[in-house]
Amino acid sequence: MDGAPLYLRPRLEPPLAALLEAGPFLHSLADALGSPLNVLLPDVVAENAARFRAVYRRHHLTGRVYFAHKANRSSALLRRLAAEESRSVGVDVASTGELQHALSCGFTGDRVMATGPKDAGFLWLAARVGATVNLDSLGELEQLASLVRGHGMERVEVLVRLSGFESDSVSDGAGTRMLSRRSRFGTPVRDVDALWKALERHADAVELIGAAYHLDTTGAEEKARALERCVLLLDDCRARGLTPRAVDIGGGFGVGYLADADEWERWTTALSEAVLGERAPLTWRGHGYGLRNEGGTVRGTAALYPAHRTTAGPGYLDELLSRPAPVLGRPPATLLLEHLHDLHIEPGRALVDQCGLSLARVLEVSTAGDEPARHLVRLGMNAGDVSLEEHGVLVDPVLIPREGPQEPEQTGPVGVHLVGNLCLEADLITRRTVFLPRLPRAGDLLAFANTAGYAMDFRAHHAQRQPAARTVAVHKDGATWRWCPDEDYWPTTHPQGAPS
């Protein structure tokens, strides 16, 4: 039925699920600190790191889990990870500012991986503090070597980021050459000979410790192919007298945002039907999320994150390490063990899974002028404050009612459009119709769960001088929730690892 509610309810696990049930506590935070407000659970990031490390132990692998700092700018999360065992957890920084932040949060230089595009200042500071530099190009190598010599610094450990992987000896079974997804980052595999020669030439300034890649795909087969190719290329390095010992496979392990696979299947099917005109629109003014109707056929590709995933995070890593690689036919974990290579990973979204939520106060509820059957719910936030849809993630918020005497409420599920606080037509928190258990009222809160990975502050701004979200760190102390500003969190001897 067209009128049946199409839910996309979030996957919630402890302690995030318990936090969402603490309505009075969350309302007191929003009352004191304003809307929008980000709420983080720092202990969860340490638990997630431990789950990744358990996969390492299962496969008898060594190496380090590097948190991709760009996923969240929180100090509390970084400080909590800095308190972990140094050989197992590090941080991946992609700018001078992130490097400075990591150092100020307790990471020593030898636990830092410097990635991303780099200018001279970034390279100099990384080299000075003893960080590992993940080189993106031959030009970065030349610049780094010059800086090391010019400033009399010790040799810098480097990895070389590779791209453009190609399977020359294996096909997909139909005689087709298999290519990896193109990337503007990294040195193409076809150019590695010049890279090896440059590393030999600069051996007094840099020490090659391994190869790296980061593929913008969820395809495990493609990633396994790249990992295997890196192992084989490092064999060539050893034949030249270089001594690599690690493979860094980047991130992209994913998160399962939704609790119910059937809800995801129903919604995506209904989106195609709506695009074809076979049912009422599901979105604001017929937005198709990349799909379009061409002569009665759905064309295009839905620009949506696979919000329900049966395997994600540590489970995805386990699957990747277990599947046979295409050329040698052995699992990547076996190849790494046989070649005595460490495994480094750089999870961002997956490492902060279930680590937090974003709160928004309901400011006003009205009806849409050109869609009188739909309600507009204006929130005390804008689309930059919770950029779930910017990253293609569709998930329902959780309604947290304001306690106390209320006007009679509309019962039963209701479809609403969530709009922001900017004077812009495009300021939509969600383009789709969101179904809630009842019509919200001014003063209620909507909680967007699991926003710590890229959705919480990746695009936050001060447009129209609207307040950007403040961030707090919380922990459960017996039956009581306690909090502190994100910038005031420091790991202590408290049993939960949070400030007392």
Side-chain angles (χ1 to χ4, degrees), residues 280-300:
L282 306 182
T283 59
W284 182 255
R285 294 175 182 170
H287 181 75
Y289 290 104
L291 301 182
R292 62 188 183 277
N293 183 349
E294 289 188 4
T297 301
V298 175
R299 301 292 187 188

Side-chain angles (χ1 to χ4, degrees), residues 216-494:
D216 185 21
T217 177
T218 59
E221 180 180 355
E222 191 174 336
K223 292 187 176 186
R225 188 186 314 123
L227 196 159
E228 180 185 52
R229 190 69 187 277
C230 282
V231 170
L232 296 174
L233 288 168
L234 292 182
D235 282 348
D236 296 339
C237 288
R238 285 180 168 171
R240 304 178 77 117
L242 300 170
T243 56
R245 56 184 182 274
V247 177
D248 183 336
I249 64 173
F253 303 102
V255 163
Y257 285 95
L258 300 182
D260 192 327
D262 289 340
E263 288 185 355
W264 179 243
E265 181 66 26
R266 282 195 296 271
W267 194 90
T268 52
T269 299
L271 175 64
S272 295
E273 293 171 349
V275 168
L276 290 174
E278 296 173 357
R279 61 172 297 146
L282 306 182
T283 59
W284 182 255
R285 294 175 182 170
H287 181 75
Y289 290 104
L291 301 182
R292 62 188 183 277
N293 183 349
E294 289 188 4
T297 301
V298 175
R299 301 292 187 188
T301 302
L304 297 175
Y305 186 88
H308 185 275
R309 299 181 61 163
T310 55
T311 304
Y316 182 93
L317 176 63
D318 187 36
E319 179 182 286
L320 173 63
L321 293 172
S322 303
R323 63 183 301 133
V327 175
L328 300 178
R330 296 192 296 282
T334 301
L335 296 178
L336 291 166
L337 286 171
E338 289 175 344
H339 291 77
L340 303 178
H341 288 320
D342 289 340
L343 173 69
H344 298 324
I345 61 175
E346 300 168 12
R349 189 192 306 267
L351 205 57
V352 293
D353 184 24
Q354 300 287 309
C355 277
L357 55 85
S358 298
L359 293 174
R361 182 74 71 196
V362 175
L363 301 181
E364 180 187 30
V365 180
S366 60
T367 56
D370 55 353
E371 292 189 60
R374 290 284 181 258
H375 292 85
L376 293 181
V377 177
R378 181 164 59 87
L379 301 179
M381 69 164 34
N382 57 65
D385 294 315
V386 58
S387 55
L388 285 166
E389 288 218 359
E390 184 69 23
H391 294 274
V393 176
L394 304 185
V395 61
D396 294 345
V398 177
L399 176 63
I400 304 176
R402 166 73 82 179
E403 292 188 338
Q406 301 287 349
E407 296 294 324
E409 64 183 45
Q410 176 178 329
T411 58
V414 58
V416 303
H417 293 295
L418 304 179
V419 300
N421 57 13
L422 298 183
C423 187
L424 294 171
E425 289 284 355
D427 186 25
L428 302 172
I429 307 299
T430 59
R431 296 184 183 92
R432 67 188 176 91
T433 302
V434 171
F435 286 91
L436 298 173
R438 68 158 175 80
L439 190 66
R441 293 180 291 254
D444 289 344
L445 288 174
L446 289 185
F448 297 85
N450 211 3
T451 54
Y454 294 105
M456 186 172 282
D457 55 26
F458 196 71
R459 296 184 61 84
H461 52 72
H462 293 268
Q464 296 178 200
R465 300 190 67 83
Q466 292 283 5
R470 298 180 68 177
T471 302
V472 298
V474 302
H475 74 281
K476 193 76 174 291
D477 183 7
T480 303
W481 285 98
R482 303 195 183 278
W483 70 276
C484 69
D486 177 77
E487 60 271 20
D488 291 342
Y489 173 97
W490 291 98
T492 69
T493 55
H494 188 281

Side-chain angles (χ1 to χ4, degrees), residues 155-193:
R155 277 207 310 170
V156 176
E157 292 186 346
V158 301
L159 292 99
V160 291
R161 183 171 176 175
L162 303 177
S163 65
F165 295 97
E166 179 180 289
S167 178
D168 294 316
S169 56
V170 166
S171 74
D172 63 355
T176 304
R177 176 173 290 180
M178 303 292 288
L179 298 174
S180 70
R181 189 181 301 263
R182 292 184 178 181
S183 173
R184 67 185 182 92
F185 300 107
T187 300
V189 168
R190 65 176 182 271
D191 298 330
V192 293
D193 190 60

